[in-house]
Amino acid sequence: MRAALRRPDFARLAASHGLATVAQLMVTLGLGVEVLHRTGSAAWVSVTVALGFAPYAALSGLAGVVADRFPRGRVLAVSAAARAVLVAGVAVGLVAGAPVWLLVAFSALVAVAATPAYPALAAATPQCVTDEELPAANALVTCVENVTWIAGPGVYGVLVLLGLDATTQTLVASALLASAAVVAAGARTPGPAVGAGRGWDEALLGVRLVARVPGVRRPMTLAVVDNLLYGYLVVAVVLLVQDAPDPARWLGRLNAALTLGAVAAMVVVGRLAGGDRVRRTLHVSLAGFAGCVLLVGAVGPGPVALVLLLACGATTLVAEVAAVTLLQRSVEDDVLARLFGVYDQLNVGAIAVGSAVAAPVAGLLGPGLAMGVLAVACVALQAVVAIGRGEPAVAVPGLRDVSGAVAPAR
C-alpha cells in the first residue's frame, strides 16, 4: 500500500474522490434535514435522499462513456468542479428561499455530475500503479469509498454541533468539492484511445463486454453476489439482534466488528489477490463470506457472532478487491471506464436489492434461517459461475484482443 501511495497521480485521484464523496454526502443529508424542516413531510425527505443516489444506478453506464473519452484525472476534476458549482447554487437557493422542488432538483443534478467519478478512478488506477501494486491500490480505493460514506454524515454532524446553519454547511461542502477538483487537476493520466464505436454502440459496449466475454462476466457476477449478500447482511444484523437482551449494544458491536474486519483485511489483501492467485482468492473469499453469514444466522448475537462478523468484513473486502482486479486485467485500457460504469450500476443495485429483501425474507423464514438460506443460494450461484469456466471467450466487435484471459503483467 505504501508503494501504491507513493505514486503521486494515484494518491491525488484517491484523495480527490474521498474529499468529493464526503462533501456530496454532507449535501444529501443536509438537504434532507432542510426539506424536513420546511415541509414536515417524510415523503419529501425520502424523495430528496433517493434522488441523491438514484443516478448512480441509472446513469453510471453512460457516465463510463464520458470517462473513456477523456483523461481520467480530468474527468474527476471536472466532476468535482461541476458539483462545487451546483452545491454553491444550492446555497444561493437556501438564501433566496427557493422552493423545495428546486432544491431537490439541484441535489439530483449534483448526483448526476458525480456518476463519472468512480468509473474514472477505477479505470485510472491501472494507469497510475504497476500490476504488482494493483490489488493494494484497489483495496485503498475500496477503503476510501467505505470510509468516506461513513465520514460524510460525521462531518455534517460536526458542523451541526458547531451551530452552523444550512447555508454555511452547504458552502463548506462546495469548498471541499472545489478542493477535490484542484487535487485531481494535478494528476497526469494519459488520454485513452478513442474507440471506433459511436452512439449506442459505444454506450452499450460495457454491457456487451459483461454479456459476451466470460472473463468479464464471471468476476462481475461474483462481485454482484458479494454486494447482494453484503446489502442483505447489513439489514439482517439489525433484525437478528431485535430479541437480544440489549439490542442496541449488540447492533453497535456487530457493525463495528464488520468494519474492523474489512480494515484489517487491507493489510493482507495485496498478497492474497496478487499475481496469478486473484481468481482463486475471489472464489475462496466469497465462499468464506457466505459461510460466515450462514454461521452468524445459526449462532445469533453473541461473542461467536463478533468473531464471525470480523471474518465477514475481511472476506467481503478481499472478494471485492479480487473481482475489481480481475476486471481491470481482463479488458483494454480504453474501455475500462465503460466497464466500471456497468460495475457501479450493478453493484449499487445489488446492495439496494439485498437490503430491500432482507425484511420480507426474514419475516417469512425468521432472521437466522433467512441468512442461512441466502448464504447457501449465493454459494450455489458461485458454483454455477465456477462450472462455466471452460466457456470459450467471445470477441466483441470493435475491440482489440479482448478475451477472458488475464492480461500480461504491466
Side-chain angles (χ1 to χ4, degrees):
M1 286 187 181
R2 288 194 298 270
L5 286 173
R6 282 196 291 268
R7 305 288 180 180
D9 293 328
F10 170 72
R12 280 179 172 274
L13 296 180
S16 170
H17 186 60
L19 280 172
T21 303
V22 167
Q24 185 164 340
L25 288 168
M26 289 168 57
V27 173
T28 300
L29 184 57
L31 272 180
V33 172
E34 180 67 18
V35 167
L36 181 62
H37 286 163
R38 288 196 183 190
T39 66
S41 168
W44 265 111
V45 175
S46 295
V47 169
T48 303
V49 176
L51 287 177
F53 297 109
Y56 291 98
L59 300 175
S60 289
L62 294 176
V65 178
V66 175
D68 269 338
R69 302 288 289 186
F70 303 97
R72 278 71 184 251
R74 187 190 305 170
V75 171
L76 279 163
V78 171
S79 171
R83 282 178 278 172
V85 172
L86 288 167
V87 171
V90 172
V92 172
L94 290 171
V95 172
V100 166
W101 67 264
L102 185 58
L103 296 176
V104 173
F106 264 84
S107 175
L109 288 175
V110 171
V112 170
T115 54
Y118 176 75
L121 178 59
T125 300
Q127 294 179 322
C128 298
V129 303
T130 67
D131 188 76
E132 184 180 8
E133 296 161 353
L134 191 56
N138 287 329
L140 284 165
V141 170
T142 301
C143 180
V144 166
E145 285 270 300
N146 292 336
V147 169
T148 51
W149 277 82
I150 297 169
V155 174
Y156 169 77
V158 170
L159 297 182
V160 171
L161 290 174
L162 291 174
L164 302 182
D165 60 17
T167 302
T168 307
Q169 295 164 12
T170 305
L171 290 173
V172 170
S174 181
L176 285 176
L177 285 163
S179 300
V182 172
V183 171
R188 296 291 178 263
T189 53
V194 178
R198 290 292 183 269
W200 283 108
D201 283 342
E202 186 172 359
L204 295 176
L205 184 54
V207 175
R208 288 193 290 141
L209 281 168
V210 176
R212 298 178 61 182
V213 181
V216 173
R217 183 170 62 252
R218 286 192 290 265
M220 185 75 80
T221 301
L222 295 178
V224 169
V225 171
D226 180 52
N227 281 281
L228 176 72
L229 190 57
Y230 175 80
Y232 185 92
L233 178 64
V234 170
V235 177
V237 166
V238 178
L239 304 174
L240 191 67
V241 302
Q242 283 182 331
D243 297 326
D246 191 347
R249 179 170 295 180
W250 275 111
L251 180 62
R253 289 171 176 171
L254 293 174
N255 278 308
L258 183 65
T259 301
L260 287 173
V263 172
M266 291 179 61
V267 178
V268 297
V269 70
R271 292 184 179 274
L272 293 175
D276 59 358
R277 301 184 299 272
V278 188
R279 186 174 286 108
R280 186 186 313 124
T281 296
L282 173 54
H283 280 280
V284 171
S285 57
L286 183 54
F289 179 33
C292 290
V293 170
L294 186 151
L295 292 174
V296 169
V299 302
V304 176
L306 286 175
V307 176
L308 291 170
L309 262 294
L310 279 168
C312 284
T315 49
T316 186
L317 179 128
V318 172
E320 183 170 355
V321 169
V324 168
T325 302
L326 277 174
L327 290 170
Q328 288 167 328
R329 290 174 172 174
S330 295
V331 301
E332 294 184 355
D333 175 76
D334 57 340
V335 299
L336 262 181
R338 273 167 283 186
L339 178 61
F340 276 97
V342 177
Y343 177 93
D344 212 19
Q345 283 184 298
L346 292 178
N347 286 287
V348 168
I351 292 173
V353 170
S355 301
V357 303
V361 176
L364 183 64
L365 302 176
L369 179 58
M371 292 175 76
V373 168
L374 187 64
V376 170
C378 288
V379 171
L381 182 55
Q382 180 184 356
V384 171
V385 172
I387 290 170
R389 282 185 60 180
E391 183 182 358
V394 179
V396 176
L399 297 180
R400 302 184 305 276
D401 302 325
V402 176
S403 71
V406 175
R410 291 170 177 79

